[in-house]
Amino acid sequence: MKLYEWAMKHLRKPVMSLYRINVVGAENIPEGGCIVSANHTAFSDVLVVTAALGRQVKYMAKAELFKTPLKPLITALGAFPVERGGADVGSIKKAIALLESGDFVSLFPQGHRYGKRDPRYTEIKSGVGMISYRAKAPVLPVFIDNKRMKVGMFRRNTVIIGKPISFDELGFETGGNIEYMNAAKIVFRRVCELKYGSADTWDENPFAITPKDGGAE
């Protein structure tokens, strides 16, 4: 039995209990491959989202983590490295291949952890748009909600799963950085709407977009 299969069988319930995870919208989880995009509050977001979805999620993880003692564990669990701060062609191809084979691949639109912050007022990056365009993949919006806006053990964490965003909804025509950024904005708006309601009720331009590919933890 592969490590992630063993972990899902034996560790999912303890994780659900330790993090007091409540799942809303489980009926929206698709069967085929998709990009999983959530707000990013803490390193343990990956545990909470995976446990909530009930299936393996492949994470694009910053390359620095693969130079630590965590490398064997995160590799066995399906994470793969990405060099941040520029286009990592190998990682992009890996993500696309996983999506095309029916896997879930996670990209955090914010690119970095923003604990204890309203996610609507944090920067986002264009990586989720770029990967979606190249893989022609839908995006599953997920919001991690808790009292402190930072995942932690022994405090209630509600994982809200929205309806998948189809490729056609992301407004692509010819690709390119502007379209990738606009798609990322659509995705993260849908993520935040799961918590805060329609964006029509928000302040104008609540979050910024940086013109760099991103999304790795």
Side-chain angles (χ1 to χ4, degrees):
M1 180 181 291
K2 294 181 179 179
L3 178 57
Y4 71 83
E5 293 174 340
W6 179 92
M8 189 61 68
K9 180 178 180 180
H10 297 283
L11 299 181
R12 186 188 181 208
K13 286 185 178 180
V15 170
M16 294 285 286
S17 178
L18 284 171
Y19 286 91
R20 300 181 61 196
I21 299 172
N22 176 48
V23 181
V24 176
E27 69 277 6
N28 293 321
I29 301 173
E31 294 184 1
C34 71
I35 298 171
V36 178
S37 287
N39 56 311
H40 202 6
T41 72
F43 183 81
S44 49
D45 291 343
V46 299
L47 296 176
V48 170
V49 170
T50 299
L53 294 177
R55 59 175 286 184
Q56 187 184 24
V57 181
K58 306 291 181 66
Y59 289 89
M60 297 180 74
K62 60 185 179 182
E64 292 86 345
L65 290 176
F66 290 82
K67 300 175 183 179
T68 72
L70 291 174
K71 178 180 178 179
L73 176 61
I74 61 178
T75 300
L77 292 175
F80 58 99
V82 59
E83 295 287 349
R84 298 198 291 189
D88 186 334
V89 176
S91 295
I92 292 169
K93 289 182 177 179
K94 172 74 171 179
I96 293 170
L98 288 168
L99 290 164
E100 291 177 342
S101 67
D103 284 306
F104 278 13
V105 175
S106 174
L107 285 92
F108 293 103
Q110 293 162 289
H112 300 280
R113 296 184 293 274
Y114 288 95
K116 302 179 181 180
R117 298 266 306 271
D118 184 330
R120 294 175 296 173
Y121 300 94
T122 60
E123 291 186 346
I124 60 174
K125 299 184 179 182
S126 61
V128 62
M130 184 265 292
I131 296 294
S132 177
Y133 177 77
R134 297 193 182 185
K136 304 297 185 287
V139 181
L140 184 67
V142 175
F143 195 93
I144 306 167
D145 189 20
N146 47 61
K147 187 174 181 180
R148 299 181 183 178
M149 202 52 68
K150 184 174 182 179
V151 162
M153 290 189 291
F154 311 117
R155 67 179 70 138
R156 188 175 184 84
N157 295 282
T158 299
V159 178
I160 309 170
I161 303 167
K163 294 182 179 180
I165 306 168
S166 70
F167 177 79
D168 292 338
E169 291 179 79
L170 296 175
F172 294 120
E173 293 184 4
T174 59
N177 288 336
I178 293 175
E179 289 191 6
Y180 299 157
M181 291 190 291
N182 287 337
K185 187 173 183 178
I186 291 170
V187 168
F188 203 59
R189 180 185 297 117
R190 290 276 290 271
V191 169
C192 292
E193 285 182 332
L194 295 172
K195 160 72 174 178
Y196 299 102
S198 173
D200 293 338
T201 65
W202 304 350
D203 293 337
E204 188 176 357
N205 298 321
F207 46 80
I209 297 177
T210 57
K212 298 179 181 179
D213 290 332
E217 172 44 56

